[in-house]
Amino acid sequence: MIIVYDSLTGQGKKFASKLGYKAVNIKDYQSNDDPVVFLVTRSFNFGEIPKTTLDFLKKFHERVIGTAVSGNRNWGANFGKAGEVIEKEFGIPLVTKFEMGGFEVDIKKTKNFLESILKNP
Ligand SMILES: Cc1cc2nc3c(=O)[nH]c(=O)nc-3n(C[C@H](O)[C@H](O)[C@H](O)COP(=O)(O)O)c2cc1C
């Protein structure tokens, strides 16, 4: 399993680095890399999926076991909305939405999800 992160200002990268698995920038992921991917991405412009993430999902959505989405509650109903759109459009579970580099509760929830899925694939 590998963590792939799409992070512009570094919050998602910080979150990815706390999960305890190898993490790579979405721009560096190659098709011969680990085929079990957990995606950390972000919300942009009223809940849109960033283009980098959309391009990645078009190619690799079948490899993605779940997402964690970075956002800011100041965006109200659009907080982390990209995660909901990804869940709907690609059928990939949204594990958590987080602010900044993620709080302990977000990290724990994500780690638990990853552990359970790796035990019972
Ligand atoms: C132009 C712009 C649009 C944004 N739109 C949203 C949004 O719709 N929903 C949201 O939750 N956060 C939104 N944000 C906040 C970012 O998602 C948030 O800062 C996030 O932590 C960035 O992640 P990163 O540091 O990994 O790039 C927006 C930020 C910018 C600069």
Side-chain angles (χ1 to χ4, degrees), residues 6-13 42-48 70-73 75 78-81 98 100:
D6 183 340
S7 180
L8 200 63
T9 64
Q11 302 295 358
K13 182 178 181 184
R42 59 201 163 88
S43 277
F44 166 75
N45 269 350
F46 303 99
E48 273 179 29
S70 167
N72 188 312
R73 286 189 197 274
W75 289 82
N78 288 316
F79 168 55
K81 194 171 165 210
F98 62 92
M100 301 188 281

Short mmCIF file of all heavy atoms in Angstrom, two decimals, residues 6-13 42-48 70-73 75 78-81 98 100, ligand 1:
data_model
loop_
_atom_site.label_atom_id
_atom_site.label_comp_id
_atom_site.label_asym_id
_atom_site.label_seq_id
_atom_site.Cartn_x
_atom_site.Cartn_y
_atom_site.Cartn_z
N ASP A 6 -2.00 14.74 -3.17
CA ASP A 6 -2.10 15.92 -4.04
C ASP A 6 -2.18 17.10 -3.09
O ASP A 6 -3.20 17.33 -2.45
CB ASP A 6 -3.37 15.81 -4.90
CG ASP A 6 -3.48 16.98 -5.88
OD1 ASP A 6 -2.84 18.02 -5.67
OD2 ASP A 6 -4.23 16.83 -6.87
N SER A 7 -1.10 17.85 -2.98
CA SER A 7 -1.02 18.90 -1.97
C SER A 7 -0.33 20.12 -2.55
O SER A 7 0.78 20.03 -3.05
CB SER A 7 -0.22 18.35 -0.77
OG SER A 7 -0.10 19.32 0.22
N LEU A 8 -1.03 21.26 -2.47
CA LEU A 8 -0.47 22.49 -3.05
C LEU A 8 0.32 23.25 -1.99
O LEU A 8 1.45 23.67 -2.23
CB LEU A 8 -1.64 23.34 -3.58
CG LEU A 8 -1.29 24.39 -4.61
CD1 LEU A 8 -0.75 23.74 -5.88
CD2 LEU A 8 -2.54 25.22 -4.94
N THR A 9 -0.28 23.44 -0.81
CA THR A 9 0.39 24.25 0.21
C THR A 9 1.01 23.40 1.33
O THR A 9 1.50 23.94 2.31
CB THR A 9 -0.59 25.29 0.83
OG1 THR A 9 -1.63 24.60 1.52
CG2 THR A 9 -1.19 26.17 -0.24
N GLY A 10 0.97 22.08 1.18
CA GLY A 10 1.71 21.21 2.11
C GLY A 10 0.90 20.56 3.22
O GLY A 10 1.43 19.72 3.95
N GLN A 11 -0.37 20.93 3.37
CA GLN A 11 -1.16 20.34 4.48
C GLN A 11 -1.41 18.85 4.24
O GLN A 11 -1.25 18.03 5.14
CB GLN A 11 -2.50 21.07 4.64
CG GLN A 11 -2.38 22.56 4.90
CD GLN A 11 -1.71 22.91 6.22
OE1 GLN A 11 -1.36 22.02 7.01
NE2 GLN A 11 -1.54 24.19 6.47
N GLY A 12 -1.78 18.53 3.01
CA GLY A 12 -2.03 17.12 2.68
C GLY A 12 -0.75 16.29 2.77
O GLY A 12 -0.79 15.13 3.19
N LYS A 13 0.36 16.90 2.41
CA LYS A 13 1.64 16.19 2.49
C LYS A 13 1.96 15.88 3.96
O LYS A 13 2.40 14.78 4.30
CB LYS A 13 2.74 17.05 1.88
CG LYS A 13 4.09 16.39 1.87
CD LYS A 13 5.15 17.24 1.23
CE LYS A 13 6.47 16.49 1.24
NZ LYS A 13 7.57 17.29 0.72
N ARG A 42 -7.32 17.34 -1.90
CA ARG A 42 -7.76 18.61 -1.32
C ARG A 42 -9.01 19.10 -2.06
O ARG A 42 -9.32 18.60 -3.15
CB ARG A 42 -6.63 19.64 -1.43
CG ARG A 42 -6.19 19.88 -2.86
CD ARG A 42 -4.78 20.46 -2.95
NE ARG A 42 -4.29 20.29 -4.30
CZ ARG A 42 -4.48 21.16 -5.29
NH1 ARG A 42 -5.13 22.28 -5.06
NH2 ARG A 42 -4.03 20.91 -6.50
N SER A 43 -9.65 20.07 -1.47
CA SER A 43 -10.81 20.69 -2.12
C SER A 43 -10.38 22.04 -2.63
O SER A 43 -9.56 22.72 -2.03
CB SER A 43 -11.96 20.87 -1.14
OG SER A 43 -12.68 19.70 -1.02
N PHE A 44 -11.02 22.44 -3.70
CA PHE A 44 -10.57 23.62 -4.41
C PHE A 44 -11.78 24.30 -5.02
O PHE A 44 -12.73 23.60 -5.42
CB PHE A 44 -9.55 23.10 -5.44
CG PHE A 44 -9.15 24.02 -6.51
CD1 PHE A 44 -8.28 25.07 -6.25
CD2 PHE A 44 -9.59 23.83 -7.81
CE1 PHE A 44 -7.88 25.91 -7.26
CE2 PHE A 44 -9.18 24.66 -8.83
CZ PHE A 44 -8.33 25.72 -8.55
N ASN A 45 -11.81 25.64 -5.03
CA ASN A 45 -12.89 26.37 -5.71
C ASN A 45 -14.29 25.80 -5.54
O ASN A 45 -14.82 25.19 -6.46
CB ASN A 45 -12.59 26.45 -7.21
CG ASN A 45 -11.81 27.70 -7.52
OD1 ASN A 45 -11.66 28.56 -6.66
ND2 ASN A 45 -11.28 27.79 -8.72
N PHE A 46 -14.87 25.98 -4.38
CA PHE A 46 -16.24 25.54 -4.10
C PHE A 46 -16.41 24.03 -4.27
O PHE A 46 -17.34 23.55 -4.90
CB PHE A 46 -17.26 26.31 -4.95
CG PHE A 46 -17.16 27.79 -4.75
CD1 PHE A 46 -16.47 28.57 -5.66
CD2 PHE A 46 -17.70 28.38 -3.62
CE1 PHE A 46 -16.34 29.94 -5.46
CE2 PHE A 46 -17.57 29.75 -3.41
CZ PHE A 46 -16.89 30.53 -4.34
N GLY A 47 -15.47 23.28 -3.69
CA GLY A 47 -15.63 21.84 -3.62
C GLY A 47 -15.20 21.06 -4.85
O GLY A 47 -15.48 19.87 -4.97
N GLU A 48 -14.51 21.74 -5.76
CA GLU A 48 -14.05 21.01 -6.96
C GLU A 48 -12.91 20.03 -6.65
O GLU A 48 -12.16 20.22 -5.70
CB GLU A 48 -13.50 22.00 -7.99
CG GLU A 48 -14.55 22.57 -8.90
CD GLU A 48 -13.94 23.56 -9.88
OE1 GLU A 48 -12.76 23.41 -10.24
OE2 GLU A 48 -14.68 24.48 -10.26
N SER A 70 -8.32 17.21 2.39
CA SER A 70 -7.93 18.42 3.10
C SER A 70 -8.85 19.56 2.70
O SER A 70 -9.25 19.68 1.54
CB SER A 70 -6.49 18.70 2.66
OG SER A 70 -6.10 19.97 3.04
N GLY A 71 -9.19 20.40 3.66
CA GLY A 71 -10.03 21.54 3.35
C GLY A 71 -10.02 22.53 4.49
O GLY A 71 -9.17 22.44 5.39
N ASN A 72 -10.98 23.44 4.43
CA ASN A 72 -11.07 24.46 5.46
C ASN A 72 -12.55 24.71 5.74
O ASN A 72 -13.33 24.90 4.79
CB ASN A 72 -10.40 25.72 4.90
CG ASN A 72 -10.26 26.79 5.94
OD1 ASN A 72 -11.21 27.11 6.65
ND2 ASN A 72 -9.07 27.34 6.03
N ARG A 73 -12.92 24.69 7.01
CA ARG A 73 -14.34 24.83 7.39
C ARG A 73 -14.91 26.20 7.01
O ARG A 73 -16.13 26.37 6.96
CB ARG A 73 -14.53 24.57 8.88
CG ARG A 73 -14.41 23.10 9.21
CD ARG A 73 -14.80 22.78 10.65
NE ARG A 73 -14.28 21.47 11.01
CZ ARG A 73 -14.93 20.33 10.76
NH1 ARG A 73 -16.11 20.34 10.18
NH2 ARG A 73 -14.38 19.18 11.09
N TRP A 75 -15.10 27.23 4.28
CA TRP A 75 -15.80 27.02 3.02
C TRP A 75 -17.20 26.43 3.23
O TRP A 75 -17.89 26.07 2.27
CB TRP A 75 -14.97 26.16 2.07
CG TRP A 75 -13.79 26.91 1.56
CD1 TRP A 75 -12.59 27.10 2.18
CD2 TRP A 75 -13.70 27.65 0.32
NE1 TRP A 75 -11.77 27.89 1.42
CE2 TRP A 75 -12.42 28.23 0.27
CE3 TRP A 75 -14.56 27.85 -0.74
CZ2 TRP A 75 -12.00 29.02 -0.80
CZ3 TRP A 75 -14.15 28.62 -1.82
CH2 TRP A 75 -12.87 29.20 -1.84
N ASN A 78 -19.07 23.53 1.44
CA ASN A 78 -18.08 23.01 0.48
C ASN A 78 -16.83 22.48 1.18
O ASN A 78 -15.86 22.11 0.51
CB ASN A 78 -17.69 24.09 -0.53
CG ASN A 78 -18.82 24.35 -1.50
OD1 ASN A 78 -19.45 23.43 -1.99
ND2 ASN A 78 -19.11 25.62 -1.75
N PHE A 79 -16.85 22.46 2.52
CA PHE A 79 -15.69 21.93 3.25
C PHE A 79 -15.40 20.50 2.79
O PHE A 79 -16.25 19.61 2.92
CB PHE A 79 -15.95 21.97 4.76
CG PHE A 79 -14.95 21.19 5.57
CD1 PHE A 79 -13.59 21.46 5.45
CD2 PHE A 79 -15.35 20.20 6.44
CE1 PHE A 79 -12.65 20.75 6.19
CE2 PHE A 79 -14.42 19.47 7.19
CZ PHE A 79 -13.07 19.75 7.05
N GLY A 80 -14.22 20.30 2.25
CA GLY A 80 -13.79 18.96 1.84
C GLY A 80 -14.71 18.28 0.84
O GLY A 80 -14.68 17.06 0.70
N LYS A 81 -15.47 19.07 0.12
CA LYS A 81 -16.52 18.49 -0.72
C LYS A 81 -15.97 17.60 -1.84
O LYS A 81 -16.65 16.68 -2.31
CB LYS A 81 -17.40 19.59 -1.30
CG LYS A 81 -18.68 19.04 -1.88
CD LYS A 81 -19.65 20.12 -2.25
CE LYS A 81 -20.74 19.54 -3.14
NZ LYS A 81 -21.24 20.55 -4.05
N PHE A 98 -10.22 16.71 6.64
CA PHE A 98 -9.41 17.29 7.71
C PHE A 98 -9.00 18.72 7.39
O PHE A 98 -8.94 19.12 6.24
CB PHE A 98 -8.18 16.42 8.00
CG PHE A 98 -7.23 16.28 6.83
CD1 PHE A 98 -6.16 17.15 6.68
CD2 PHE A 98 -7.42 15.30 5.87
CE1 PHE A 98 -5.28 17.04 5.61
CE2 PHE A 98 -6.56 15.19 4.79
CZ PHE A 98 -5.48 16.05 4.65
N MET A 100 -5.98 21.72 8.15
CA MET A 100 -4.53 21.85 8.38
C MET A 100 -3.84 20.51 8.14
O MET A 100 -4.22 19.81 7.21
CB MET A 100 -4.28 22.42 9.76
CG MET A 100 -4.95 23.79 9.89
SD MET A 100 -4.55 24.66 11.38
CE MET A 100 -5.62 23.87 12.54
C1 LIG B 1 -8.66 29.09 -4.31
C2 LIG B 1 -8.94 28.18 -3.14
C3 LIG B 1 -10.14 27.47 -3.11
C4 LIG B 1 -10.44 26.61 -2.04
N1 LIG B 1 -11.63 25.96 -2.02
C5 LIG B 1 -11.95 25.15 -0.97
C6 LIG B 1 -13.18 24.46 -0.92
O1 LIG B 1 -14.04 24.55 -1.80
N2 LIG B 1 -13.41 23.65 0.15
C7 LIG B 1 -12.51 23.49 1.16
O2 LIG B 1 -12.78 22.75 2.09
N3 LIG B 1 -11.32 24.13 1.13
C8 LIG B 1 -11.02 24.95 0.10
N4 LIG B 1 -9.82 25.61 0.07
C9 LIG B 1 -8.89 25.39 1.18
C10 LIG B 1 -7.87 24.31 0.85
O3 LIG B 1 -8.48 23.11 0.45
C11 LIG B 1 -7.06 24.06 2.11
O4 LIG B 1 -6.24 25.17 2.33
C12 LIG B 1 -6.23 22.78 2.04
O5 LIG B 1 -5.73 22.54 3.32
C13 LIG B 1 -5.08 22.84 1.07
O6 LIG B 1 -4.43 21.60 1.08
P1 LIG B 1 -2.89 21.48 0.69
O7 LIG B 1 -2.10 22.30 1.70
O8 LIG B 1 -2.57 20.03 0.82
O9 LIG B 1 -2.72 22.03 -0.70
C14 LIG B 1 -9.51 26.45 -0.97
C15 LIG B 1 -8.30 27.17 -1.03
C16 LIG B 1 -8.00 28.01 -2.08
C17 LIG B 1 -6.69 28.76 -2.08
#
